[in-house]
Amino acid sequence: MVEGYAIVFNSESRDLGGFTETIEPSALEGVLEISDILCLLNHNEDKGVLARCNKGVGSLELEIDDKGLKYRFEAPNTTPGDELLEGLKRGDISASSFAFTVAGEKWTKEEDGSYLRTITQIDKLFDVS
């Protein structure tokens, strides 16, 4: 089994090119029920799909808790599944990501001149990676 958090609420991201972002806990309300979410290796669908949750059903289990969006799936016996398990075992893979569209956001200019984007509502979630 592979599990982790694709999204951690209220946690500032790394620099995304002149800004950082955080995701509010309410940003996922109603999103899982309308999204077709793939679990991919490095956001690359060409490598194959590791798991899938289509509108709440499938081989990819998703749960929203107080910390964020947790995922869980059994790694498939495929080339990308084997690559993922080996990368996790060796410690080469140690983080998760996600792809989404935004329905609501607010921007704040920080004291150092950088910007913070706060995602208040996600429109659709496309993958956890």
Side-chain angles (χ1 to χ4, degrees):
M1 290 304 264
V2 177
E3 63 182 18
Y5 280 88
I7 297 173
V8 177
F9 298 136
N10 299 316
S11 176
E12 199 167 323
S13 72
R14 63 176 172 77
D15 188 320
L16 298 171
F19 71 98
T20 58
E21 71 182 13
T22 64
I23 311 290
E24 290 186 347
S26 60
L28 282 172
E29 287 179 8
V31 174
L32 301 183
E33 297 81 8
I34 63 166
S35 296
D36 185 4
I37 305 160
L38 302 178
C39 183
L40 304 172
L41 190 57
N42 294 324
H43 301 290
N44 188 347
E45 193 172 350
D46 292 339
K47 285 189 152 214
V49 175
L50 296 165
R52 181 180 189 174
C53 180
N54 189 357
K55 298 174 180 71
V57 178
S59 56
L60 175 62
E61 298 173 34
L62 297 170
E63 176 188 352
I64 300 170
D65 62 20
D66 290 340
K67 183 175 179 178
L69 176 64
K70 186 175 185 176
Y71 62 85
R72 179 183 164 110
F73 65 96
E74 187 173 338
N77 188 18
T78 61
T79 300
D82 294 344
E83 184 178 341
L84 172 64
L85 291 176
E86 184 65 18
L88 289 169
K89 183 175 112 182
R90 291 169 37 120
D92 299 334
I93 298 172
S94 62
S96 294
S97 183
F98 58 101
F100 65 104
T101 52
V102 176
E105 64 188 355
K106 58 186 174 186
W107 290 85
T108 308
K109 188 171 185 176
E110 304 289 271
E111 288 183 20
D112 67 359
S114 65
Y115 287 89
L116 172 65
R117 177 169 85 157
T118 301
I119 305 299
T120 58
Q121 183 61 53
I122 291 175
D123 181 44
K124 286 195 177 170
L125 189 59
F126 297 102
D127 79 68
V128 295
S129 225

